[in-house]
């Protein structure tokens, strides 16, 4: 039993994305915390993910209710969206279409009891959908060029 006041003091939290580039709207973040208090702490707060286009999503900082013992450091991961790796190209297209997003995203972590907001960023680039779009565009250009060639010869 601890005599006197009990406190949890978060010191130098770490926050970073696991993947700097993803193909659909989903990612995993690594959170590292040090508790310099005299009792265990259960970190709480939010992570807000926002795009340049105004899309925003909030998730819990600690959905697993991870505890950090006094005088120790602890790291854990928090994920959102579909972060599984598709096995086939068709599955990848379905995943990118279902969770479609594109561009740069910023994630801000607000840890309750810690004055600073920590920030990281990642890019969503649906490469399978982009490759299909480019292939269709090239096919259209070839068809148009062939149609012009056929008109000239007739």
């Amino acid at each position: 039993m601890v005599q006197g006041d009990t406190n949890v003091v978060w010191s130098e939290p770490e926050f970073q994305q696991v993947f700097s580039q993803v193909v659909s709207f989903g990612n995993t973040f690594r959170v590292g915390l040090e508790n310099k208090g005299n009792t265990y702490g259960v970190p709480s707060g939010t992570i807000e993910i926002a795009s340049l286009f105004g899309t925003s999503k909030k998730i819990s900082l600690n959905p697993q209710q991870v505890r950090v013992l006094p005088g120790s450091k602890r790291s854990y991961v928090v994920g959102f969206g579909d972060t599984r790796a598709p096995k086939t190209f068709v599955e990848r297209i379905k995943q990118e279409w279902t969770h479609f997003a594109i561009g740069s995203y910023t994630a801000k972590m607000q840890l309750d009891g810690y004055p600073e907001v920590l920030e990281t960023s990642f890019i969503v680039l649906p490469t399978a959908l982009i490759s299909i779009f480019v292939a269709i565009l090239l096919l259209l250009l070839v068809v148009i060029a062939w149609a012009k060639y056929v008109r000239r010869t007739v």
Side-chain angles (χ1 to χ4, degrees), residues 45-121:
T46 58
I47 298 173
E48 184 175 0
I49 301 103
S51 75
L52 295 174
F53 307 114
T55 306
S56 182
K57 179 178 182 76
K58 275 190 178 182
I59 60 173
S60 172
L61 176 65
N62 190 7
Q64 307 101 329
Q65 296 297 303
V66 170
R67 294 178 182 205
V68 184
L69 296 174
S72 68
K73 290 183 177 183
R74 180 110 188 234
S75 292
Y76 61 95
V77 294
V78 178
F80 76 97
D82 193 354
T83 58
R84 65 184 171 80
K87 295 179 182 173
T88 66
F89 187 71
V90 173
E91 283 182 13
R92 185 169 172 174
I93 292 168
K94 286 179 184 176
Q95 180 185 33
E96 289 179 13
W97 186 260
T98 305
H99 305 285
F100 182 77
I102 192 166
S104 178
Y105 285 77
T106 302
K108 295 180 180 180
M109 178 184 89
Q110 178 61 60
L111 174 63
D112 294 343
Y114 191 76
E116 297 176 35
V117 175
L118 300 171
E119 190 173 297
T120 188
S121 60

Side-chain angles (χ1 to χ4, degrees), residues 4 14 85:
E14 298 172 5

Side-chain angles (χ1 to χ4, degrees), residues 34-46:
E34 182 176 3
N35 180 0
K36 290 194 172 182
N38 61 5
T39 187
Y40 76 87
V42 180
S44 62
T46 58

